């Protein structure tokens, strides 16, 4: 019996994505009221979740550990100097051994193939905690944040056959590097009918293989979001409801710091850029964090337009929803 893994938003049907966001919202409401149902509190009783992280993390680590504790389980953090993850032992051996003693592996690695390899040989669900290609837990939190902030924009009725968060027609402008956070965000946007316009400088655009995956996410969606690309930030920003960015130098790219800062000159999100680009009047700002001032000015990051701290908090509820769906409910994602 092969477990179901959560490696990318591409693994979810639109209905499952909607359900996970809704479930995260329900957990948030309950936790805020101090009313976590006993069923949730005991859902991981006696279970260990291995957290194998070979890169630094604040939000993903804290939210996953807190989620597992909220659900009555034991989070076991295994950093890169603690275990033989891809060093001194094959991923096959690591995966077979760790999955024989735990109920889930939450893994942060570099190459996506490392996490995919672990998943292939694991007898328990693997949840991607960030690879060079994807960051699905971030995307669940991001769409919870968007769902909380934007009232339904469309007349598309939510139904079992056509599940919808009512965000159709909303426009996201991603200004900056085409990276892991963008890829899952774009896949989700297409599935949820949200348009996403990406402005990246030459040499930092979406790789063709990833573009194919993003566009393929429209399959079977009656109202898919549109993906557009440009190298001019102002073009992407036109009529956008949400401006999003991430670091220009992801973990593992530190040696390219200077080259990247030069390439991204003019891409910093400022009030002036938003105005010149013609963002919608009530535009909001999002960022997965950690943040560096070069990609967004303080005037935006710390302004009332900024959703970054609720977005970070929402990582907790996203983690609970994902662990519940993939570990407790064994990959069955239904409301
Ligand atoms: N957004 C996010 O994943 O942050 P961390 O790298 O701190 O976990
Ligand atoms: N793009 C960033 C995201 C960190 C959460 C990185 O990969 O370092």
């Amino acid at each position: 019996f092969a477990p179901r893994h959560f490696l990318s938003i591409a693994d979810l049907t639109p209905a499952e994505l909607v359900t996970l966001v809704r479930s995260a919202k329900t957990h948030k409401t309950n936790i805020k009221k101090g009313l976590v149902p006993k069923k949730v509190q005991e859902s991981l009783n006696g279970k260990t979740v291995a957290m194998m992280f070979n890169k630094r993390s604040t939000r993903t680590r804290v939210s996953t550990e807190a989620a597992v504790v909220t659900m009555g389980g034991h989070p076991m953090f295994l950093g890169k100097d603690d275990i033989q993850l891809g060093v001194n032992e094959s991923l096959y051996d690591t995966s077979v051994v760790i999955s024989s003693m735990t109920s889930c592996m939450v893994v942060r690695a570099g190459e996506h193939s490392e996490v995919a390899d672990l998943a292939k040989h694991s007898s328990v669900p693997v949840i991607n905690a960030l690879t060079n290609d994807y960051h699905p837990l971030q995307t669940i939190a991001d769409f919870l944040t968007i769902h909380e902030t934007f009232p339904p924009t469309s007349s598309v009725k939510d139904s079992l056959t056509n599940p919808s968060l009512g965000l159709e027609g909303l426009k996201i402008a991603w200004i900056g590097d085409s990276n892991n956070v963008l890829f899952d965000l774009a896949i989700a946007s297409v599935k949820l009918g949200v348009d996403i316009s990406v402005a990246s400088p030459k040499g930092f655009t979406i790789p063709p293989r990833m573009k194919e995956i993003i566009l393929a996410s429209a399959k079977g969606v009656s109202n898919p979001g549109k993906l557009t690309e440009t190298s001019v930030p102002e073009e992407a920003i036109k009529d956008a409801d949400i401006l999003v960015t991430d670091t220009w130098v992801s973990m593992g790219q530190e040696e390219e710091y200077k080259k990247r800062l030069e390439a991204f000159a003019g891409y910093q999100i400022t009030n002036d850029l938003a105005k010149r680009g013609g963002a919608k009047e009530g535009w909001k700002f999002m960022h997965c964090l950690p943040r560096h001032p070069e990609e967004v000015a303080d005037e935006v990051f710390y302004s009332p337009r900024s959703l970054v701290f609720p977005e970070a908090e929402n990582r907790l509820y996203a983690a609970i929803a994902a662990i519940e769906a993939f570990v407790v409910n064994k990959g069955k994602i239904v409301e």
Side-chain angles (χ1 to χ4, degrees):
F1 169 74
R4 186 176 179 192
H5 307 292
F6 187 30
L7 304 192
S8 160
I9 295 294
D11 298 339
L12 304 173
T13 65
E16 289 174 332
L17 173 57
V18 168
T19 303
L20 272 185
V21 173
R22 287 226 182 91
S23 154
K25 193 177 179 189
T26 304
H27 288 301
K28 181 172 188 175
T29 308
N30 290 341
I31 287 175
K32 291 280 189 196
K33 282 197 220 144
L35 291 173
V36 185
K38 221 173 156 56
K39 201 173 128 218
V40 175
Q41 281 183 42
E42 295 177 351
S43 55
L44 289 181
N45 264 3
K47 294 201 160 119
T48 300
V49 171
M51 298 171 57
M52 299 142 71
F53 281 44
N54 72 2
K55 288 179 176 178
R56 283 186 308 273
S57 168
T58 299
R59 282 140 289 268
T60 311
R61 177 177 179 174
V62 174
S63 59
T64 306
E65 291 205 22
V68 172
V69 170
T70 302
M71 300 166 81
H74 174 73
M76 180 187 282
F77 187 81
L78 303 164
K80 75 171 167 31
D81 297 323
D82 298 323
I83 55 163
Q84 328 261 13
L85 186 58
V87 184
N88 198 32
E89 183 167 63
S90 74
L91 289 172
Y92 175 91
D93 296 0
T94 304
S95 179
V96 171
V97 170
I98 295 186
S99 66
S100 73
M101 295 184 241
T102 62
S103 298
C104 172
M105 295 193 268
V106 178
V107 188
R108 172 167 286 199
E111 291 304 316
H112 187 72
S113 59
E114 292 181 62
V115 176
D117 260 11
L118 283 169
K120 203 163 132 199
H121 307 300
S122 170
S123 55
V124 297
V126 172
I127 297 179
N128 179 359
L130 180 84
T131 62
N132 292 344
D133 286 358
Y134 301 111
H135 200 4
L137 293 169
Q138 183 67 49
T139 302
I140 301 295
D142 288 354
F143 269 100
L144 169 58
T145 313
I146 295 170
H147 180 47
E148 290 172 329
T149 309
F150 292 88
T153 54
S154 78
S155 53
V156 178
K157 275 248 170 25
D158 176 42
S159 68
L160 274 181
T161 47
N162 189 19
S164 162
L165 291 173
L167 300 174
E168 291 81 0
L170 217 63
K171 180 179 171 185
I172 294 175
W174 175 280
I175 310 299
D177 190 23
S178 298
N179 67 13
N180 40 15
V181 173
L182 166 67
F183 300 150
D184 260 337
L185 185 73
I187 292 168
S189 298
V190 169
K191 287 182 193 276
L192 295 173
V194 172
D195 295 335
I196 181 160
S197 190
V198 179
S200 302
K202 245 177 123 187
F204 300 91
T205 54
I206 305 174
R209 71 175 172 92
M210 193 52 77
K211 202 167 155 183
E212 258 178 53
I213 294 172
I214 297 169
L215 296 178
S217 308
K219 208 176 148 213
V221 183
S222 51
N223 227 328
K226 282 190 292 296
L227 169 74
T228 47
E229 289 177 278
T230 171
S231 58
V232 183
E234 287 87 341
E235 272 178 30
I237 287 171
K238 180 95 189 99
D239 293 328
D241 299 276
I242 311 164
L243 273 50
V244 194
T245 192
D246 183 13
T247 181
W248 296 339
V249 189
S250 282
M251 288 181 275
Q253 298 172 335
E254 290 78 4
E255 276 174 19
E256 297 174 25
Y257 186 80
K258 204 167 159 278
K259 176 182 118 186
R260 285 177 166 266
L261 252 58
E262 280 166 18
F264 287 93
Y267 280 71
Q268 189 197 42
I269 298 184
T270 60
N271 284 328
D272 185 52
L273 178 66
K275 197 162 176 200
R276 270 188 284 129
K280 289 245 182 80
E281 205 184 303
W283 66 273
K284 300 288 185 196
F285 174 75
M286 293 177 69
H287 189 309
C288 64
L289 312 181
R291 169 255 181 174
H292 307 263
E294 59 256 20
E295 68 258 12
V296 54
D298 279 1
E299 66 181 18
V300 173
F301 188 81
Y302 292 111
S303 75
R305 294 189 184 279
S306 176
L307 303 175
V308 298
F309 296 117
E311 179 184 2
E313 181 189 335
N314 283 342
R315 292 294 308 274
L316 171 62
Y317 316 115
I320 297 175
I323 293 169
E324 183 177 62
F326 285 88
V327 185
V328 181
N329 298 336
K330 301 192 179 347
K332 203 158 177 256
I333 310 176
V334 283
E335 279 195 68

